[in-house]
Amino acid sequence: MTKGKPVLTHVTYYPKKGKEQELLALIKKHWPALRAIGLATDEPAQVYQAHDKRSGNTYFIEIFAWRDENASSVAHQTPEVMAVWEPMGSIMESWNGTGSPIAIAEIEKIPL
């Protein structure tokens, strides 16, 4: 099977109030779980804590690369990844009227 090129991904996670550290602990397990089963590239994820200047809310940003365009679909069928994702659902809240507790974007670096 030929692998496609890596997919650089930016994920923003919005925790419920008081669940920030619990969510961060799960985020720290995310990339290692993906990497252990070959779904992410060798480049470690970058994780950031952010504070919204208007609301004061804390949220987290993770940047990592899936190994290819099919890896995220495979992740949904993998117990090791679902063991991280499923508990996240109960400790996050929707944001920006989307109904989703995360924002996911494929990103591309623009040379300056």
Side-chain angles (χ1 to χ4, degrees):
M1 178 170 88
T2 304
K3 290 184 181 178
K5 67 179 191 169
V7 178
L8 190 58
T9 303
H10 177 284
V11 184
T12 306
Y13 302 90
Y14 294 89
K16 291 179 179 176
K17 289 271 188 208
K19 297 294 183 177
E20 295 86 357
Q21 293 309 306
E22 188 176 345
L23 179 57
L24 180 57
L26 289 167
I27 294 169
K28 287 179 178 181
K29 294 177 181 180
H30 186 229
W31 180 83
L34 296 175
R35 185 66 204 121
I37 55 176
L39 296 178
T41 64
D42 290 336
E43 181 69 29
Q46 297 175 46
V47 177
Y48 301 88
Q49 181 171 303
H51 301 281
D52 186 284
K53 287 187 170 192
R54 292 185 182 108
S55 69
N57 292 338
T58 295
Y59 59 96
F60 301 98
I61 297 165
E62 179 185 35
I63 300 172
F64 70 97
W66 292 104
R67 77 163 182 234
D68 60 33
E69 65 278 355
N70 297 318
S72 64
S73 294
V74 173
H76 285 275
Q77 303 165 27
T78 308
E80 297 89 343
V81 177
M82 294 309 296
V84 175
W85 285 356
E86 286 177 351
M88 286 179 165
S90 65
I91 59 174
M92 293 190 298
E93 62 185 357
S94 66
W95 70 282
N96 206 19
T98 65
S100 177
I102 59 175
I104 304 172
E106 291 181 10
I107 59 176
E108 180 179 334
K109 188 171 187 174
I110 298 174
L112 299 177

